[in-house]
Amino acid sequence: MEDSSKVIHAIYTDDDLLMAAVKKVRAERYHIEEIYTPFPVHGLDKAMGLAPTRLAITSFIYGTIGLIVSVVMMNYIMIEDWPQDIGGKPSFSYIENMPAFVPIMFELTVFFAAHLMVITFYLRSKIWPFKKAENPDTRTTDDHFLMEISAGQNVDAQFDMLRNTGAVEVTLIDKAH
Amino acid sequence: MYTISNRLKTFSIILIVLGILGVAYGFMTSHKSLEEVKTMLAEDHSVHGADFVPLTQEHVVRGVENDDDNFHRSGAYDATADVDDMDLETEGMIMDSTAMESSEVHSDNESSGTDVQEHSQTEDAHGMVGEHGEGNQDTHAVHVQEQLAKRPWSALYVAAFFFMMIALGALAFYAINIAAQAGWSPLLMRVMEGITAYLLPGAIIVVVIALGSHYIGHHNEIFIWMNPEVVADDELIQNKSSYLNIPWFVIRAAIFIGGWCTYRYFARKFSIAQDNAEAGDIRNFKKSFRIAAGFLVFFIYTESIMSWDWIMSVDPHWFSTLFGWYVLASMLVSGITVIAMVTIYLKSKGLLPMVNDSHIHDLAKFMFGFSIFWAYLWFSQFMLIWYANIPEEVVYFITRIEDYNLLFFGMLVLNFVFPFLILMNSEYKRIPWFVVMSGVLILVGHYIDVFVMIMPATVGDQWFIGIPEIGSVLLFGGLFMLVVFTSLTKAPLTPKGNPFIKESEHFHY
């Protein structure tokens, strides 16, 4: 695995070209390490063959947790711990006074679902405030698209193939530090 | 061009015939004499009598304890053993007599209970406010007799309104799609136009049933404000009678139906004219855009007023400000559900080749979203009234929770919990049988929704989902299918000239 630290960067100026290139590269069975784009390119994940996100499923679970938290909290506070008569509201059992708790149940469900999902997204994407930016080429934040593929045995053939897909720049990068 | 299949035609005609038989049966069995009602009530209570024995027993035991004290006070002898005997004896004796009495006690309790609940409907109807005892018993029987007479009318009305509401919801959704220049939906426009064809006959039937219940038969009005005897004794309704009177009710209904159906007529006309227009000529499209915008303004006012007229005024003592939106949500979600189901049916026949699963996905998203919107309004109405608990407002929910408990909360499960859980997953929204299944649940739920809005005010606790109710649903369901699918044969199912049709054909999500 002497070549594993070498990658090829191909830069494109158009997202349609990029999509076509991704399909070509995958058809030629090269492994795409990463793609850097300045904006979301619709359908890129499908073209790359990325697995669908499970973020929505985590969000559902977090929402359920939020609902349970609110029910347990209000049941303990309002029904079990100190069941006072507040304005004639029935505090004998949870279900009797439930309509009054629904706004809290709803908000906590949304709160947990939203915030925990965002935090999960940060963790899974490894984003935090003092994170060092991983950007191989600053132009990719503006108007260029960069595809990174691992260099194989025959780098020249890979170069040719990438140039044929319309790449404006193809460079060999040694990632070893 | 779509041609209605013979099987579908026969099927809907069978439904109509079965429905007519069921409705006729309902009318034949609903008019009972006062004596029959009294016997029925007495039988009812002897069945319930068993439930009341423990209650009376408690009374007896308490009575015996008093006796017990008396014995001790008399202090003649140690009476423990005798008291035990006494206990058994009296209990047995009194139980015998109370088994008979309990029915009477119960019926008294119940009649006074319903009197309170029903917000003095009975009393108003018969001007027997102060009378008790025998008079009260009779009033109760008369009241029940009227409720029984109202049942087939109400069953008919609920089913008629339900199917009218589907057509009206589809029309509103259609106008929204045109006014919003939606790019995904033009392929479904003909399906929506087909469904809205039921609006004209459906709405007229609703009004005819409402009036028919007043003019045909005696004391079986769905709307008690139409009954002059009730109004004569009821100051609350008298104060509203400048609004709630039959001529003005009919004029308003004519304005609503006239406005909606005029829009429907022209929208359909422009849509077909656009098909036959030359390429690049979108004058008809622009016209339909303009009238859709105008219609939506007209619709939101008339829908609101219609919901007061045709639903809320069954309880003329009660009012709620968000009622119109609540009915609107019900209407839209059932309209969209039927659009999805008809689309899936036609697609399964290979008649809508360009419709893909993204269109189904979008319709399912609307079903999901509007189900939640309906639940939001249901809860907002319920919770505000429950929380403030003002007697004049809260009777509405007390009757529903006490007499319609299962339906009242069951429809919340059908209309909110099931669609929420079933249609949440993005993958499931693309599977036709999944959408149809949740659509059936939603439609059943919204039928029950209308049922619970109308029935408590007309038949009260005498409700049952039996032959009259099912017959009415079959009757109007069959009529709905016949009208809708006949209308679908009148024009090509895929519109040609719509400027957004290409976008709709390539729509994917």
Side-chain angles (χ1 to χ4, degrees):
Chain A
M1 297 286 278
E2 72 274 17
D3 283 340
S4 61
S5 62
K6 290 218 166 105
V7 293
I8 300 170
H9 280 177
I11 291 187
Y12 299 85
T13 50
D14 187 275
D15 51 338
D16 290 332
L17 277 180
L18 176 74
M19 287 291 284
V22 167
K23 282 169 192 156
K24 178 103 188 292
V25 170
R26 274 182 42 96
E28 305 257 343
R29 304 204 160 274
Y30 289 113
H31 179 63
I32 299 173
E33 297 277 340
E34 191 64 271
I35 292 181
Y36 298 88
T37 66
F39 53 77
V41 178
H42 188 71
L44 187 59
D45 53 339
K46 282 218 175 65
M48 287 171 74
L50 297 181
T53 174
R54 289 167 294 179
L55 212 50
I57 299 169
T58 65
S59 179
F60 181 77
I61 296 168
Y62 299 145
T64 315
I65 294 170
L67 182 66
I68 294 169
V69 166
S70 65
V71 170
V72 170
M73 177 177 80
M74 298 314 291
N75 185 50
Y76 177 69
I77 296 172
M78 301 302 289
I79 309 295
E80 283 174 9
D81 189 37
W82 200 352
Q84 285 193 102
D85 181 343
I86 301 165
K89 284 279 158 288
S91 52
F92 308 108
S93 71
Y94 189 78
I95 197 74
E96 272 180 306
N97 210 359
M98 198 198 68
F101 304 144
V102 166
I104 299 160
M105 287 155 67
F106 170 77
E107 292 294 349
L108 275 187
T109 307
V110 174
F111 181 88
F112 273 62
H115 288 83
L116 291 181
M117 178 176 73
V118 167
I119 293 168
T120 309
F121 169 71
Y122 287 158
L123 292 175
R124 289 292 290 151
S125 327
K126 303 191 177 66
I127 306 176
W128 60 88
F130 299 103
K131 157 124 176 158
K132 193 178 177 305
E134 300 168 12
N135 195 358
D137 191 316
T138 48
R139 287 174 300 173
T140 61
T141 62
D142 184 11
D143 60 352
H144 284 60
F145 303 81
L146 190 153
M147 186 200 303
E148 181 179 293
I149 67 173
S150 45
Q153 299 297 332
N154 194 347
V155 178
D156 288 341
Q158 279 179 304
F159 266 59
D160 285 346
M161 188 265 299
L162 287 172
R163 287 213 177 87
N164 283 336
T165 59
V168 291
E169 248 180 71
V170 184
T171 38
L172 184 68
I173 307 279
D174 194 347
K175 275 184 129 182
H177 298 296
Chain B
M1 288 288 266
Y2 165 70
T3 45
I4 182 167
S5 73
N6 267 331
R7 267 171 53 202
L8 195 66
K9 212 173 195 167
T10 334
F11 179 63
S12 42
I13 290 171
I14 290 173
L15 287 186
I16 294 175
V17 171
L18 283 178
I20 289 174
L21 291 178
V23 171
Y25 173 82
F27 276 106
M28 282 188 310
T29 53
S30 66
H31 287 79
K32 292 187 161 50
S33 71
L34 199 59
E35 286 311 307
E36 282 174 318
V37 174
K38 276 183 183 168
T39 349
M40 189 199 87
L41 287 175
E43 275 169 11
D44 243 28
H45 293 143
S46 62
V47 172
H48 290 303
D51 299 337
F52 285 81
V53 170
L55 215 150
T56 27
Q57 237 172 350
E58 230 173 90
H59 275 288
V60 173
V61 170
R62 235 180 281 143
V64 169
E65 269 166 10
N66 285 343
D67 278 1
D68 202 82
D69 281 345
N70 290 343
F71 270 113
H72 279 291
R73 232 174 286 141
S74 69
Y77 49 92
D78 181 62
T80 332
D82 287 29
V83 167
D84 275 350
D85 278 354
M86 265 293 269
D87 239 49
L88 288 171
E89 237 175 70
T90 29
E91 213 171 282
M93 245 169 58
I94 296 175
M95 256 176 73
D96 276 352
S97 59
T98 43
M100 285 178 289
E101 266 171 21
S102 67
S103 68
E104 251 179 58
V105 171
H106 173 212
S107 71
D108 262 351
N109 281 346
E110 204 189 46
S111 65
S112 57
T114 33
D115 279 353
V116 174
Q117 282 166 28
E118 298 275 33
H119 210 63
S120 68
Q121 255 183 32
T122 334
E123 292 154 13
D124 294 339
H126 311 287
M128 289 185 169
V129 183
E131 291 182 38
H132 291 289
E134 278 304 301
N136 203 355
Q137 277 257 358
D138 256 20
T139 324
H140 178 53
V142 169
H143 181 53
V144 171
Q145 187 191 19
E146 280 183 15
Q147 289 181 330
L148 292 174
K150 284 176 181 182
R151 186 177 154 201
W153 284 106
S154 314
L156 214 53
Y157 189 76
V158 169
F161 187 88
F162 174 68
F163 285 102
M164 188 284 294
M165 154 176 122
I166 290 172
L168 186 55
L171 185 67
F173 188 66
Y174 173 76
I176 290 169
N177 271 294
I178 291 177
Q181 305 196 358
W184 67 279
S185 57
L187 271 182
L188 308 173
M189 291 294 185
R190 285 292 143 76
V191 176
M192 302 187 203
E193 286 166 14
I195 293 169
T196 56
Y198 181 74
L199 182 59
L200 181 62
I204 290 173
I205 288 169
V206 169
V207 178
V208 166
I209 295 171
L211 296 174
S213 72
H214 169 60
Y215 287 112
I216 303 168
H218 184 63
H219 284 322
N220 48 20
E221 283 90 356
I222 297 168
F223 298 93
I224 56 162
W225 56 263
M226 286 185 181
N227 185 343
E229 288 171 40
V230 172
V231 179
D233 294 321
D234 192 320
E235 232 175 298
L236 274 173
I237 303 183
Q238 279 166 23
N239 286 333
K240 295 180 183 179
S241 61
S242 59
Y243 183 84
L244 291 179
N245 59 68
I246 292 176
W248 188 204
F249 176 85
V250 174
I251 293 169
R252 282 195 307 266
I255 294 172
F256 308 153
I257 299 173
W260 302 334
C261 294
T262 309
Y263 167 70
R264 197 260 165 196
Y265 172 79
F266 282 107
R268 170 84 165 175
K269 191 179 148 193
F270 295 147
S271 169
I272 289 170
Q274 184 64 49
D275 261 20
N276 303 324
E278 285 170 42
D281 175 13
I282 56 162
R283 275 176 304 169
N284 285 300
F285 175 78
K286 285 181 171 169
K287 280 190 214 159
S288 73
F289 172 79
R290 273 190 223 112
I291 57 168
F295 166 73
L296 285 172
V297 175
F298 175 79
F299 172 76
I300 202 64
Y301 282 104
T302 48
E303 188 278 332
S304 209
I305 300 171
M306 179 275 285
S307 74
W308 309 336
D309 276 13
W310 296 1
I311 298 187
M312 201 160 76
S313 77
V314 293
D315 287 293
H317 291 146
W318 182 81
F319 49 85
S320 162
T321 38
L322 61 66
F323 199 75
W325 315 328
Y326 172 67
V327 175
L328 175 73
S330 215
M331 193 175 271
L332 278 173
V333 70
S334 21
I336 293 165
T337 302
V338 171
I339 293 171
M341 290 167 94
V342 174
T343 306
I344 288 170
Y345 169 77
L346 291 174
K347 188 173 161 49
S348 76
K349 297 266 165 197
L351 295 159
L352 290 170
M354 303 303 288
V355 171
N356 54 40
D357 56 0
S358 291
H359 293 101
I360 307 295
H361 189 148
D362 260 30
L363 285 169
K365 274 190 281 190
F366 274 111
M367 282 158 65
F368 175 76
F370 277 110
S371 288
I372 295 171
F373 180 60
W374 174 89
Y376 165 68
L377 290 173
W378 178 89
F379 181 72
S380 302
Q381 179 169 278
F382 174 74
M383 196 264 231
L384 285 180
I385 290 175
W386 172 87
Y387 205 99
N389 204 17
I390 301 171
E392 70 202 48
E393 288 180 346
V394 89
V395 279
Y396 183 81
F397 287 112
I398 287 176
T399 48
R400 277 155 184 80
I401 289 172
E402 286 185 350
D403 297 335
Y404 291 75
N405 200 289
L406 181 66
L407 291 189
F408 187 65
F409 293 109
M411 75 173 179
L412 201 59
V413 175
L414 286 172
N415 290 341
F416 171 61
V417 179
F418 283 167
F420 182 75
L421 295 176
I422 292 173
L423 291 176
M424 191 186 298
N425 191 318
S426 197
E427 302 297 316
Y428 293 170
K429 286 197 274 270
R430 314 177 82 93
I431 305 172
W433 69 264
F434 233 91
V435 177
V436 170
M437 189 184 71
S438 43
V440 169
L441 292 177
I442 289 174
L443 289 181
V444 172
H446 284 282
Y447 172 77
I448 296 175
D449 186 18
V450 180
F451 190 88
V452 173
M453 285 195 273
I454 301 288
M455 287 292 183
T458 55
V459 303
D461 59 353
Q462 299 296 321
W463 71 272
F464 189 71
I465 297 191
I467 291 172
E469 285 78 11
I470 294 168
S472 310
V473 171
L474 295 183
L475 169 59
F476 292 115
L479 190 65
F480 182 84
M481 279 169 65
L482 199 61
V483 171
V484 167
F485 284 99
T486 308
S487 161
L488 284 171
T489 62
K490 300 274 171 65
L493 284 181
T494 309
K496 282 198 312 247
N498 190 308
F500 291 107
I501 197 75
K502 273 276 170 295
E503 183 181 342
S504 182
E505 283 168 3
H506 296 114
F507 173 68
H508 75 104
Y509 165 73

